[in-house]
């Protein structure tokens, strides 16, 4: 690319000095999107029912490696002169257009999908082809451009010119071609592109036929042996003052005239002839305003960092539209085909300065009447409409605070709050710290006393490295861990019954016996979810460390065979730890890689495919799930729960370049026409963690700014915390909070403790000394704990609830402010996936200190299981009390009935009308009662 830029700069200078010596002009190196002899035609229509180009071709390496040059190669090898790419990875060839295919009526706007094999190129779009044509014997690499701009006034004068008695005489012209006159070419610029190789036997007819056969409507001869083809006359091309200025004889026929020095004899089938004006800066595009021409430092010091390349369709309208849709308020174009998105502070950070307007002189390929910068020069624009985003910058206590808590004995891989008020930590058993069991329980009530705050747990026999976790709905609130990283670990099913209390150690340990209770398929990086009927759905993974995909699902307790999911196979390896949600509609939402869909809860078949999840502005192939790791939460559900449930996903990573995603996306899956809403984040973040706070806000924490999840694959730790408040208008919901000094990279977690603090743990990058292996635990104190207001306290008599029943609680201390209750679903957090997390705000009424809370609807509003009940006095939450909602309909309290798992907690009160069990394991099909 640098070689190409140098060539352009050199020949631009050469043209200014040697305006009459055209033999060497227009010779630049091949663009990344084309090879010698192939020229872009623009964006063309296509349809699966009637292909514009009829021959589908495979390129070496498959569709995932698709580039325009690869498609051109296979088409040329097959003897075809037309090549088109589509949908990022499809290639089509032909020698003619079919089924009325032609230039897209909307110009190049819908050719916007980037090539799978090179994210700097556009490879068509939805039913749109990025089209190229090969010219027999072509050797020039001047690039033709198709424009949808209207003709200027110069066209009318040019179109009225007809052959005079002194006009060149030609026979054998293509149908409809006629002489349009002698035009001035330059100096210093070309009025037509697509110069053909010099031809010492050229005639008027030979040049015109070459152009017509290549699909062009205009042909021009110059200086005896030069032939140019185009569909427009550029740079406000004008007729020469006299026909005699076209005075050089055609090299192949001395009886014909073929232009002259800096003069073109033009023939065309157009009436009127399309003449476009000289390119100039477009001053306004919607609420974007042109700011001028500025210097750019190149790849090492880019003013606006997000780069897109559109060699056939770049224009101010296209570029600024891309940047706006991703929330950028500054943008610019460079080298004609390059588009850059960023923020206003990029100019100051890079030391960019104003440049003469004449420096930005490259026409835009998608709008040849507009200018798109030049070499290391940006035509830049600023958004001057309503702000696309507004970040808040709280200070002092309103920004929260990080505090060191205690050093730890292990680097936790999984963090899981328990019904006993403690937090379970699991590490890479066998591959983690030496001389440990891989499992500890942390008691926050003891806090900073490292000698007493941790209890080592035993009983885990296989390695839980990158497993799934849940809290089961049995009466004990047992924790379950599923899967692992190799051999027997892959099939592991492990349970732990949390016991003890604050300040008092329990005696229970983990239980496991892979010979009696195991998964049907081995799974590394799976996700677990408690279904509406109380069974557990286990989804996806790989067969061991970097193994083949396991693109299926199964139910625990085991019922029926595994369910195969082709879409998980198709998106491997970017779909690990998929996000799963029980929806109010009764369906199951699944988001994996950059796709999402709704599944039927009984058959697990797809009910609805949702739109593709956006990633970064320049890489639609980026994703949101491991290893392109973001994090997902559910926005609050409020009584009477009639608003659609909204899913929020923040962070992730692009693939080319491998940068963290600087946005959050949200969707209401149950809406009739769900669409993703994109909101800018203050910084890039991959391997993010999100903690759901009891006041209904969310902490976005940890991670890195570049790279992906895995050992040594990320860099530039993100030390900042961000608060997301869904009660504010969208695009105004994020506040930039306090910083930490501890890098939290791969294998870091953030979970809310029962006292309302966020417990921040782990970091296992294994990248040498750049980012240390991190044993220290921190807490983040949200603003509600720093306001000075005391936390309310309350007594609750009953913690086993049925849906929509009323339960009494008594305030034992409060300030008399507005009393609310929030219910946080039990979660197990690993790799940015908080399995089981959700928050509800039920109906509450109080008379003095006596209050009543109505249990939420179920099982689709509040799936069965354990929740933490917080009482909020204004914004300040109490310590939590654990409640169980919906009982244990799948009978997990009596499972697994094996010697290694005794004693079992039993069903306990099932809490359904009549007291009967809604589903027994003998009547369950795919986990649901028959």
């Amino acid at each position: 690319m640098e070689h190409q830029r140098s060539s352009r700069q050199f020949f631009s200078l050469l043209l200014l000095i040697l305006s009459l010596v055209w033999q060497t002009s227009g010779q630049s190196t091949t663009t990344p999107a084309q090879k010698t002899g192939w020229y872009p035609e623009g964006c063309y229509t296509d349809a699966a029912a009637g292909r514009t180009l009829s021959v589908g071709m495979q390129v070496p390496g498959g569709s995932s490696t698709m580039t325009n040059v690869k498609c051109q190669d296979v088409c040329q090898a097959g003897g075809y002169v037309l090549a088109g790419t589509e949908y990022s990875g499809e290639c089509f060839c032909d020698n003619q257009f079919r089924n009325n295919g032609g230039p897209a009526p909307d110009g190049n706007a819908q050719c916007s999908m980037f090539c799978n094999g090179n994210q700097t190129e556009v490879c068509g779009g939805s039913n749109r082809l990025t089209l190229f044509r090969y010219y027999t014997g072509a050797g020039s690499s001047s690039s033709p451009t198709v424009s949808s701009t209207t003709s200027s006034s110069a066209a009318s004068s040019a179109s009225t010119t007809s052959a005079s008695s002194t006009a060149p005489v030609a026979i054998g012209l293509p149908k409809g071609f006629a002489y349009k006159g002698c035009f001035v070419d330059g100096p210093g610029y070309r009025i037509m592109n697509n110069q053909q190789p010099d031809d010492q036997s050229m005639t008027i007819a030979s040049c015109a036929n070459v152009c017509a056969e290549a699909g062009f409507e205009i042909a021009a001869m110059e200086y005896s042996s030069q032939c140019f083809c185009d569909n427009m006359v550029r740079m406000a091309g004008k007729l020469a003052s006299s026909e005699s200025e076209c005075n050089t004889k055609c090299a192949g026929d001395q009886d014909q005239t073929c232009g002259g020095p800096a003069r073109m004899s033009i023939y065309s089938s157009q009436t009127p002839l399309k003449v476009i004006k000289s390119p100039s800066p477009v001053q306004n595009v919607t609420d974007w305003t042109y700011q001028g021409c500025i210097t750019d430092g190149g790849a090492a010091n880019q003013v606006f960092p997000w780069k897109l390349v559109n060699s056939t369709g770049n224009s101010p309208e296209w570029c600024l539209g891309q940047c706006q849709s991703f929330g950028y308020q500054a943008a610019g174009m460079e080298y004609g085909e390059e588009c850059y998105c960023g923020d206003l502070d990029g100019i100051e950070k890079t030391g960019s300065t104003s440049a003469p307007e004449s420096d930005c002189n490259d026409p835009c390929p998608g709008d040849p009447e507009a200018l798109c910068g030049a070499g290391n020069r940006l035509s830049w624009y600023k958004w001057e409409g309503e702000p696309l985003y507004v970040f808040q910058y709280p200070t002092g206590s309103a920004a929260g605070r990080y505090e060191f808590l205690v050093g730890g004995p292990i680097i936790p891989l999984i963090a899981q709050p328990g019904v006993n008020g403690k937090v379970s930590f699991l590490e890479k058993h066998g591959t983690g710290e030496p001389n440990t069991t891989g499992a500890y329980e942390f008691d926050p009530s003891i806090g900073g006393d490292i000698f007493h705050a941790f209890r080592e747990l035993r009983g885990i026999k296989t390695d839980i490295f990158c497993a799934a976790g849940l809290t089961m709905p049995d009466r004990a609130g047992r924790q379950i861990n599923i899967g692992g990283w190799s051999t027997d670990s892959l099939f592991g099913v492990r349970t732990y019954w949390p016991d003890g209390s604050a300040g008092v150690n329990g005696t229970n340990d983990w239980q496991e016996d892979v010979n009696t209770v195991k998964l049907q398929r081995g799974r590394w990086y799976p996700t677990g979810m408690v279904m509406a009927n109380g069974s557990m759905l286990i989804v996806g993974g790989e067969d061991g460390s970097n193994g083949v995909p396991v693109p299926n699902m199964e139910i625990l307790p085991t019922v029926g065979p595994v369910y195969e999911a082709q879409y998980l196979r198709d998106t491997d390896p970017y779909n690990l730890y998929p996000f799963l949600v029980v929806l109010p509609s009764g369906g199951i939402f699944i988001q994996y890689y950059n796709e999402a869909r709704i599944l039927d809860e009984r058959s697990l078949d797809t009910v609805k495919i949702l739109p593709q999840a956006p990633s970064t502005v320049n890489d639609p192939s980026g994703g949101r799930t491991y290893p392109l790791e973001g994090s997902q939460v559910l926005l609050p559900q409020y009584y009477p729960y009639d608003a659609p449930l909204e899913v929020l996903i923040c962070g992730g990573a692009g693939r080319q370049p491998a940068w963290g995603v600087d946005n959050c996306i949200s969707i209401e899956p149950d809406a009739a026409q769900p669409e993703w809403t994109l909101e800018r984040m203050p910084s890039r973040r991959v391997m993010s963690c999100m903690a759901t706070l009891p006041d209904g806000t969310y902490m976005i924490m940890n991670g890195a700014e570049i790279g992906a999840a895995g050992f040594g694959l990320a860099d530039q730790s993100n030390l900042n915390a961000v608060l997301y408040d869904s009660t504010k208008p969208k695009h105004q919901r994020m506040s930039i909070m306090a910083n930490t000094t501890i890098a939290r990279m791969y294998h870091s977690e953030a979970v809310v403790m029962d006292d309302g603090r966020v417990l921040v743990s782990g970091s296992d990058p294994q990248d040498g000394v750049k980012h240390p292996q991190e044993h220290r635990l921190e807490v983040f104190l949200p603003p509600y704990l720093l306001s000075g207001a005391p936390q309310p306290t309350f007594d609750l008599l009953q913690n086993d609830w049925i849906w929509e029943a009323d339960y009494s609680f008594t305030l034992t201390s409060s300030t008399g402010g507005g009393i609310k209750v929030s219910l946080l679903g039990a979660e197990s957090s690993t790799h940015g996936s908080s399995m089981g997390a959700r928050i509800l705000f039920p109906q509450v009424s109080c008379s003095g200190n006596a209050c009543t809370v109505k249990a939420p609807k179920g099982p689709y509003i509040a799936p069965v299981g354990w929740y933490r009940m917080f009482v909020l006095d204004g914004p300040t939450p109490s310590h939590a009390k654990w409640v169980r909602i919906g009982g244990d309909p799948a009978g997990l309290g009596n499972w697994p009935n094996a010697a290694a798992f005794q004693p079992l907690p039993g069903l306990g009160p099932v809490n359904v009308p009549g007291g009967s069990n809604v589903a027994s394991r003998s009547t369950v099909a795919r986990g649901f009662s028959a």
Side-chain angles (χ1 to χ4, degrees), residues 847-866:
S847 177
N849 290 335
C851 300
T852 300
V853 57
K854 181 180 288 293
K857 297 178 180 179
Y860 300 111
I861 298 297
V864 297
W866 286 89

Side-chain angles (χ1 to χ4, degrees), residues 436-514:
T436 74
T437 62
Y440 280 81
E441 187 174 62
F442 172 66
D443 188 339
S445 71
I446 299 176
D449 182 353
I450 190 172
F451 299 104
H452 298 93
F454 296 91
R455 180 170 78 94
E456 188 174 37
L457 305 180
R458 302 182 181 277
I460 291 180
K461 297 180 174 61
T462 60
D463 195 339
I464 60 89
F465 181 19
C466 300
L470 291 169
T471 297
M472 294 194 289
D474 60 32
R475 68 176 182 177
R478 283 184 300 167
Q479 297 176 354
I480 185 169
N481 183 269
I482 304 144
W485 87 293
S486 67
T487 59
D488 285 348
S489 301
L490 294 164
F491 298 87
V493 175
R494 315 159 190 94
T495 65
Y496 166 61
W497 181 330
D499 64 338
S501 59
V504 179
N505 278 344
T507 59
N508 290 344
D509 285 313
W510 283 90
Q511 298 179 324
E512 179 181 12
D513 184 356
V514 75

Side-chain angles (χ1 to χ4, degrees), residues 523-546:
R523 300 179 187 276
W524 192 46
Y525 294 107
T527 297
M529 182 192 76
V530 177
M531 303 174 75
N533 75 332
S535 300
M536 292 174 287
L537 177 65
I538 314 301
V539 177
E542 289 185 344
D543 186 12
S545 178
N546 300 315

Side-chain angles (χ1 to χ4, degrees), residues 367-687:
D367 181 359
E369 293 186 348
L371 286 172
C372 284
N376 290 330
R377 294 293 184 269
L378 278 166
S379 299
W380 87 279
Y381 291 75
K382 182 170 76 171
W383 175 261
E384 295 187 335
E386 287 294 318
L388 301 177
Y389 63 88
V390 175
F391 297 142
Q392 310 298 325
Y393 297 86
T395 58
S397 296
R401 184 171 73 236
Y402 278 93
E403 291 181 351
F404 171 74
L405 182 59
V406 67
I410 60 174
I411 301 172
L413 172 66
I414 298 174
Q416 186 167 352
V419 297
N420 60 352
K422 303 179 183 183
V423 180
S424 291
F425 286 145
L426 296 175
E427 67 164 340
K428 299 178 295 183
H429 176 52
T431 59
E433 298 292 339
N435 303 316
T436 74
T437 62
Y440 280 81
E441 187 174 62
F442 172 66
D443 188 339
S445 71
I446 299 176
D449 182 353
I450 190 172
F451 299 104
H452 298 93
F454 296 91
R455 180 170 78 94
E456 188 174 37
L457 305 180
R458 302 182 181 277
I460 291 180
K461 297 180 174 61
T462 60
D463 195 339
I464 60 89
F465 181 19
C466 300
L470 291 169
T471 297
M472 294 194 289
D474 60 32
R475 68 176 182 177
R478 283 184 300 167
Q479 297 176 354
I480 185 169
N481 183 269
I482 304 144
W485 87 293
S486 67
T487 59
D488 285 348
S489 301
L490 294 164
F491 298 87
V493 175
R494 315 159 190 94
T495 65
Y496 166 61
W497 181 330
D499 64 338
S501 59
V504 179
N505 278 344
T507 59
N508 290 344
D509 285 313
W510 283 90
Q511 298 179 324
E512 179 181 12
D513 184 356
V514 75
N515 294 315
T516 59
V517 179
K518 61 190 297 186
L519 294 169
Q520 297 182 68
R521 296 286 188 275
R523 300 179 187 276
W524 192 46
Y525 294 107
T527 297
M529 182 192 76
V530 177
M531 303 174 75
N533 75 332
S535 300
M536 292 174 287
L537 177 65
I538 314 301
V539 177
E542 289 185 344
D543 186 12
S545 178
N546 300 315
V548 298
V550 185
N552 50 52
M553 314 176 189
E554 60 181 285
I555 303 292
L556 284 178
T558 300
V559 288
V562 298
Y563 179 87
E564 297 297 329
Q566 183 63 37
Y567 52 87
L568 293 179
R569 184 180 299 279
D570 293 342
T571 52
D572 179 76
Y574 303 111
N575 60 24
L576 303 178
Y577 280 131
F579 302 130
L580 298 175
V581 176
V582 173
L583 294 174
S585 63
I588 296 171
F589 169 85
I590 178 171
Q591 198 281 316
Y592 53 96
Y593 183 33
N594 58 13
E595 299 180 6
R597 60 185 64 210
I598 298 176
L599 309 178
D600 180 270
E601 63 177 348
R602 295 176 182 270
S603 67
L604 301 180
D605 291 334
T606 298
V607 174
K608 178 165 61 175
I609 297 177
L610 301 175
Q612 180 174 315
S615 177
T616 61
V617 65
N618 60 353
D619 186 8
S621 72
R624 303 284 179 167
T625 53
Y626 184 93
L628 309 172
E629 184 183 305
S631 50
Q632 172 258 320
V633 294
L634 299 180
L635 295 187
Q637 297 170 272
Y638 296 94
Y639 177 85
Y641 316 112
D642 49 6
L645 177 62
E646 192 166 5
V647 179
L648 176 71
I649 303 173
C650 293
R655 294 169 59 192
Q656 296 180 356
W659 288 358
V661 173
D662 63 353
N663 60 64
C664 295
I665 54 174
S666 56
I667 196 169
E668 296 174 350
D670 282 337
Q673 298 292 329
E675 295 290 341
W676 294 99
T677 297
L678 185 145
E679 299 175 87
R680 275 288 305 280
M681 283 198 300
S683 55
R684 302 195 296 252
R685 200 180 297 261
V686 60
M687 301 183 298

